[in-house]
Amino acid sequence: MADMSGFGELQCAFVRSTHAHARIITIDTAAASTMPGIVAILTWADMVADRVVPMRPLWTIKSTDGRPMAEPPRPQLAADFVRHVGEPIALVVAQTVEQALDATEAVTVKYEPLPAVTNARYAMQDKAPLLHAQAPGNVVFHFERGDGAAVDAILAQAPHIVRLALTNNRLVCAAMEPRAVLTMPDPTGRLVVYCTTQAPHHIRQAITEELGLPVGAVRVVAPDVGGGFGTKGKHYPEETVLPWAAQRLGRPLKWVATRTESFITDTQARDHFTLAEMGIDQQGHFLALKVETIANIGAYVSTFGASIPSVIYSGLLAGPYRTPAVVVRSTGVFTNTVPTDAYRGAGRPEACYVLERLADEVAHVLALDRAEVRRRNLITREAMPYRTPLGTIYDSGDFPGVLEKALTAADYAGFSARRAATEAKGYRRGFGVASFVESSGVAPSRFATQLGARAGFYEAAHVRVHQDGGVLVMLGTHNHGQGHATTFAQIIASRLGVPATSVEIIEGDTDIVPQGTGTFGSRSIAVGGSALAAAIDKTIAKGRKIASFLLEAAEADIEFADGHYKVAGTDRRMPLVEVAHRAYLPGQLPMEIELGLQETAVYDPSSFAWSNGAHLCEVEVDPETGIVDVVGYWCVDDIGTVINPMIVEGQIHGGIAQGLGQVLSEHCVYDTESGQPLTGSLMDYALQRAGDMPPVVSALDESQPCTHNPLGAKGCGETGSIGAPAAVVGAVLDALRPLGVHDIEMPLTPGRVWAAIRNASGSEPARA
């Protein structure tokens, strides 16, 4: 979006907090206002004068006692306090970007610094600084799911209990292109907002609510966004501040984030501390699971920030296993850090990491093969549909079959020989296993609303067959690297019998597609594609009415296949293009047939689409340097019906890359005393590079399609980020257990691995 110009727009920059926690005493803009090119400097006081209301999240959580979560207001520009480094305080509008940036440095903000806290566990302590008066103890919510009494009763009698304390490290998205907003009042007085979002309809909802405008007064357009991964699917202050200021000044405005701003403003992810215990019998069968997680929410509750470590995370903690009783307790906590929210996987990688680390621990305690532990506990295909103790219902899946395919692909039987050869060279070799279930599509709207969502999760599609047979498709989803123009065109081509090259796909514009949800949570095909399929079916049905008139046959006798309508049992037929042509000729159709060949459908899923997979990896570890080399990675994924295998493979590989980043190098770190970010640039935050990727062998299992959507599709975009952390950590610990290493916190950097080896006792820790 930095290249979008030509509207005579003014340039914007933000004055941002340099403190993690402080009271704002004064904001002095006098000197900055006189600098060359400065048009305006605006603060929260100006927004209050225009009756702008603070931001609010799109998902709220009820605590275990039934009380609503703490939901303090989040002003788009800081009011009396700042609560994380980078929080916006003032908007500077100027003729050029350079002038705006210069003026931000001349705005003098007088602060009263306050103590900061960045660790969620410490934030809950009595002496910790309080961020919001509405949240005693900095607690946002206490959430519980499952039967705690049943779990405790089983654990009291279990022959063995394995326990783990796990940290899921905080991540930065670091999308290829930073966020941007370009907004302008149009001649009719409406606001047109171009922004790099995955969910334009959600952004329109937020802007209109906060500015007090009717829905029709705002048009949101999302062009190419340069990578989203969930982070750009959330609502940010800048997306309201610029439209408000443009309306106030009567001028187009533009803001493009710097990379540094991205590190201190874009929502971050993960940051869980978890205590987990599992009861097992002598044969390694899972009996009961208790998970207690403290989740760092950050300084404010972001769009879906409360739902990720509660509703979504908890729903996946049964995983693919037959565990009779499960209870999950999660506590959301405010800290002086950037708010957390969804990032590729969003709760599913965290759940998989807990379960697979426990499964490995079970194998270690009972001296069982780790694959065998999974075999003994995986839900079988014959048990489908399967209701877990947490209430989720899996409609389909062959979890054991998927695992066996992956083990065969990885030559698991030959691993012992490879390990011996590696150890003969002075290295350590390990094998990692991760089986998982993913909830695709986010949620059915009715279910989500019951659990606190303030938005729907349906999708809308419009199909229009032109007079010449070309097809225009308008969808509420948004393409930002998923290949929608290809995949959706394939769906149209296969169902309408037209060339894929004749299909035009339009997304990301709330004027063209009035209703929709967007693209996140692996929902594009499972939900968006299902809406498209429904619109196609309605279009075919409309064409059948026209064809019955033109072919002089009863509508019930008209069949459609291979792009033709035909009279059943005869050779009389008419191509779709001819029916479409006639559909737009007034006077040639009966009055009861509406002119044109176009239909709209809205699809709201009745349930999640449950993807699943098995991801395996093999590593070599150099005990002298701590360097981890992932020498092989194999995965088999059940994503239901596959529309385009090449796009799916790209999605899976991309997810694996981000999963490997979390486990091997990426970690967002804050100074524990000042709250200052210590990883504020790509010099400090180590993204995976192309040269870091291992050889990946991926396969798909289409034997178990989704049973409740018309395509049989499940999600594929997040499987790699779900399975990779658990598989790689499991492999490294498998390699190092003989040296006495039993746990290493992610990321497994060479320094951490080397230190763990040097500090290992060589003996087993005490176990229950």
Side-chain angles (χ1 to χ4, degrees):
M1 260 187 63
D3 295 331
M4 292 183 64
S5 189
F7 304 99
E9 67 273 8
L10 299 171
Q11 304 296 324
C12 298
F14 285 87
V15 178
R16 298 188 181 276
S17 173
T18 56
H19 291 269
H21 197 195
R23 184 191 305 274
I24 297 176
I25 306 301
T26 58
I27 305 172
D28 185 354
T29 64
S33 297
T34 63
M35 294 177 69
I38 299 304
V39 176
I41 301 178
L42 303 171
T43 67
W44 176 243
D46 299 304
M47 301 190 81
V48 171
D50 288 348
R51 299 183 179 179
V52 179
V53 299
M55 300 166 62
R56 66 172 189 162
L58 275 185
W59 202 313
T60 64
I61 299 299
K62 282 189 176 180
S63 285
T64 309
D65 59 8
R67 291 185 296 177
M69 72 179 194
E71 192 181 345
R74 183 184 182 184
Q76 293 85 349
L77 296 174
D80 301 320
F81 293 88
V82 289
R83 296 180 173 90
H84 71 86
V85 172
E87 184 170 356
I89 297 173
L91 174 72
V92 177
V93 182
Q95 298 292 339
T96 70
V97 173
E98 293 76 14
Q99 290 169 339
L101 290 171
D102 286 345
T104 62
E105 297 182 6
V107 174
T108 303
V109 182
K110 185 177 180 181
Y111 299 97
E112 177 192 341
L114 299 171
V117 60
T118 61
N119 182 294
R121 283 180 288 162
Y122 299 157
M124 298 172 67
Q125 296 179 0
D126 292 339
K127 295 183 179 180
L130 185 67
L131 271 72
H132 302 279
Q134 302 93 327
N138 291 314
V139 172
V140 185
F141 59 78
H142 291 294
F143 179 86
E144 182 171 328
R145 189 173 188 171
D147 190 338
V151 168
D152 288 341
I154 294 173
L155 291 177
Q157 302 295 323
H160 299 278
I161 297 176
V162 295
R163 297 183 175 91
L164 288 174
L166 301 171
T167 298
N168 210 292
N169 47 319
R170 179 178 277 242
L171 301 178
V172 169
C173 172
M176 184 178 294
E177 295 179 10
R179 293 185 296 112
V181 179
L182 169 62
T183 184
M184 63 201 76
D186 73 12
T188 68
R190 298 172 74 234
L191 280 168
V192 181
V193 182
Y194 293 88
C195 64
T196 50
T197 180
Q198 302 169 222
H201 294 88
H202 283 177
I203 302 307
R204 180 184 64 180
Q205 175 183 341
I207 293 171
T208 54
E209 287 180 355
E210 292 163 27
L211 298 187
L213 298 173
V215 170
V218 175
R219 175 191 180 192
V220 175
V221 183
D224 292 339
V225 303
F229 312 115
T231 297
K232 290 182 183 171
K234 309 301 164 281
H235 176 44
Y236 291 94
E238 299 87 358
E239 293 161 346
T240 296
V241 173
L242 261 77
W244 159 74
Q247 189 179 52
R248 189 178 225 258
L249 300 173
R251 295 287 302 275
L253 303 180
K254 182 178 179 180
W255 166 78
V256 178
T258 65
R259 181 63 64 185
T260 298
E261 281 182 297
S262 294
F263 271 92
I264 56 176
T265 63
D266 294 3
T267 56
Q268 297 171 355
R270 317 293 195 244
D271 207 345
H272 286 192
F273 175 76
T274 297
L275 297 175
E277 52 185 308
M278 176 178 280
I280 55 175
D281 65 16
Q282 300 286 9
Q283 290 74 43
H285 296 115
F286 302 167
L287 302 177
L289 171 65
K290 178 190 291 185
V291 176
E292 297 181 343
T293 291
I294 297 173
N296 193 334
I297 298 297
Y300 300 95
V301 182
S302 181
T303 306
F304 297 135
S307 68
I308 306 302
S310 56
V311 174
I312 296 175
Y313 169 66
S314 65
L316 274 298
L317 270 162
Y321 301 115
R322 300 184 308 272
T323 308
V326 181
V327 65
V328 184
R329 299 185 180 104
S330 62
T331 300
V333 182
F334 285 124
T335 67
N336 296 111
T337 61
V338 173
T340 56
D341 209 312
Y343 171 68
R344 201 166 194 166
R348 289 87 105 193
E350 298 93 315
C352 174
Y353 189 65
V354 171
L355 280 172
E356 296 309 283
R357 288 291 308 276
L358 284 169
D360 282 350
E361 200 68 11
V362 169
H364 176 61
V365 166
L366 297 182
L368 291 172
D369 178 82
R370 284 168 301 142
E372 181 59 27
V373 166
R374 273 89 174 169
R375 292 187 185 107
R376 295 182 186 185
N377 289 284
L378 286 170
I379 301 163
T380 63
R381 181 178 60 186
E382 293 73 24
M384 300 295 175
Y386 184 88
R387 180 185 289 273
T388 76
L390 295 168
T392 51
I393 300 175
Y394 305 150
D395 67 304
S396 65
D398 182 7
F399 305 158
V402 166
L403 175 62
E404 293 307 322
K405 289 179 180 179
L407 290 169
T408 299
D411 185 22
Y412 184 57
F415 171 68
S416 295
R418 297 194 295 275
R419 169 178 264 174
T422 295
E423 292 181 354
K425 297 185 294 183
Y427 295 90
R428 310 299 304 184
R429 198 175 189 98
F431 196 92
V433 183
S435 292
F436 60 87
V437 175
E438 177 194 357
S439 56
S440 304
V442 180
S445 297
R446 181 163 50 88
F447 175 72
T449 300
Q450 292 171 353
L451 293 175
R454 290 169 168 160
F457 294 95
Y458 58 87
E459 204 47 79
H462 178 85
V463 173
R464 181 182 303 161
V465 184
H466 295 305
Q467 284 178 285
D468 62 358
V471 182
L472 174 66
V473 177
M474 293 171 281
L475 292 141
T477 48
H478 183 270
N479 178 61
H480 42 277
Q482 295 88 351
H484 288 184
T486 300
T487 306
F488 287 140
Q490 285 182 257
I491 294 173
I492 286 282
S494 65
R495 289 182 168 242
L496 286 183
V498 300
T501 53
S502 70
V503 180
E504 179 185 4
I505 307 293
I506 297 178
E507 299 173 288
D509 189 329
T510 61
D511 266 13
I512 295 176
V513 188
Q515 300 296 326
T517 297
T519 292
F520 50 87
S522 295
R523 66 187 308 277
S524 293
I525 296 300
V527 184
S530 293
L532 176 58
I536 294 169
D537 290 344
K538 291 173 71 174
T539 303
I540 291 171
K542 170 71 178 298
R544 186 176 287 113
K545 291 180 181 295
I546 299 170
S548 71
F549 171 76
L550 297 173
L551 292 171
E552 299 180 337
E555 186 178 334
D557 292 334
I558 300 296
E559 299 175 343
F560 181 79
D562 301 323
H564 286 77
Y565 289 95
K566 62 180 181 179
V567 181
T570 75
D571 61 357
R572 296 170 59 205
R573 59 172 50 204
M574 181 174 288
L576 173 66
V577 63
E578 178 63 20
V579 172
H581 178 71
R582 298 289 191 92
Y584 292 92
L585 295 177
Q588 296 195 13
L589 296 177
M591 293 293 294
E592 63 269 19
I593 297 181
E594 184 178 329
L595 195 70
L597 188 52
Q598 55 187 8
E599 292 290 342
T600 297
V602 175
Y603 177 80
D604 200 338
S606 60
S607 182
F608 294 94
W610 299 100
S611 309
N612 64 87
H615 283 221
L616 318 177
C617 82
E618 203 162 307
V619 302
E620 281 189 352
V621 182
D622 182 351
E624 296 300 319
T625 64
I627 293 174
V628 174
D629 183 13
V630 181
V631 296
Y633 197 103
W634 302 266
C635 56
V636 176
D637 289 286
D638 167 11
I639 63 162
T641 302
V642 176
I643 308 298
N644 187 304
M646 290 179 65
I647 287 177
V648 168
E649 185 172 15
Q651 288 283 303
I652 291 171
H653 284 213
I656 291 169
Q658 289 178 289
L660 291 175
Q662 173 172 12
V663 68
L664 293 175
S665 60
E666 297 183 39
H667 190 196
C668 179
V669 181
Y670 289 85
D671 181 79
T672 55
E673 293 186 5
S674 68
Q676 292 291 326
L678 302 180
T679 47
S681 75
L682 293 177
M683 295 293 290
D684 316 303
Y685 188 85
L687 292 174
Q688 285 284 288
R689 297 164 296 183
D692 299 322
M693 283 293 288
V696 175
V697 177
S698 60
L700 301 171
D701 184 329
E702 295 187 68
S703 67
Q704 304 294 306
C706 179
T707 62
H708 54 73
N709 71 47
L711 298 178
K714 308 173 184 179
C716 72
E718 300 171 286
T719 61
S721 62
I722 295 170
V728 177
V729 171
V732 172
L733 293 180
D734 179 52
L736 300 182
R737 277 193 190 274
L739 303 181
V741 176
H742 304 286
D743 188 31
I744 309 175
E745 283 190 10
M746 296 187 289
L748 275 58
T749 59
R752 286 191 176 189
V753 174
W754 183 88
I757 294 170
R758 294 298 176 273
N759 295 332
S761 63
S763 60
E764 298 292 333
R767 300 185 185 280

